Amino acid sequence: QVQLVESGGGLVQPGGSLRLSCAASGSIFSINSMGWYRQAPGKERELVAVLTSGGSTRYADSVKGRFTVSRDNAKNTVYLQMNSLKPEDTTVYYCYTTLVLTDSPYAMTFWGKGTLVTVSS
C-alpha cells in the first residue's frame, strides 16, 4: 500500500553533517505527520524529530539545535538535516509517516527499513 524509501545514511566524522531523505509512495490520500526515530542495539526506539501537516515540529532534547526536520509536500518526502554530529548519534534511523490511504478513512502508520548513520573518526 505505502512504501517509504530512505537514503542519505553513511559514515561521517564527528562535527560533520548528513542529510537523510525519506520518500513516501502509494495510495496516499493525505499525510498527517512524517518524521524520524532511531534505535541503538539493545535500546528502545526513540523519537528524533517529527513534523506534522500543520507545520509543528518536535525534537528529542539530544538533537535540538543540531537537527532540522523538513518536508516537501509535493514529493511526500521528509528530510532530516543533521549537523554537528556526535559519535553518540551513531545508530539506525527509521523514517515513519502517519497518513490516510485513498481507500480507508483511518490513519495508519508506516515505517521505513532504516538507514545506518555512523559518526566516527
Side-chain angles (χ1 to χ4, degrees), residues 50-116:
V50 172
L51 177 59
T52 70
S53 58
S56 299
T57 57
R58 184 157 55 106
Y59 295 92
D61 288 342
S62 59
V63 307
K64 284 181 180 177
R66 300 189 297 124
F67 291 10
T68 302
V69 63
S70 62
R71 182 173 148 186
D72 184 332
N73 292 330
K75 297 180 179 179
N76 289 337
T77 299
V78 64
Y79 305 96
L80 185 67
Q81 178 66 43
M82 304 185 293
N83 299 327
S84 302
L85 282 161
K86 305 175 180 179
E88 51 263 43
D89 295 318
T90 295
T91 190
V92 179
Y93 287 71
Y94 297 90
C95 169
Y96 93 97
T97 180
T98 298
L99 52 79
V100 178
L101 297 172
T102 56
D103 58 358
S104 172
Y106 304 107
M108 301 177 67
T109 297
F110 296 88
W111 292 89
K113 295 182 179 180
T115 184
L116 177 63

Side-chain angles (χ1 to χ4, degrees), residues 1-63:
Q1 291 174 314
V2 173
Q3 285 190 326
L4 296 178
V5 178
E6 299 144 324
S7 62
L11 173 65
V12 65
Q13 292 186 342
S17 298
L18 281 176
R19 190 174 85 149
L20 305 182
S21 301
C22 174
S25 62
S27 303
I28 300 170
F29 177 72
S30 64
I31 294 178
N32 296 348
S33 64
M34 297 187 80
W36 299 88
Y37 279 67
R38 64 187 181 185
Q39 186 170 21
K43 295 188 177 181
E44 293 186 356
R45 190 169 294 189
E46 65 169 350
L47 179 146
V48 177
V50 172
L51 177 59
T52 70
S53 58
S56 299
T57 57
R58 184 157 55 106
Y59 295 92
D61 288 342
S62 59
V63 307

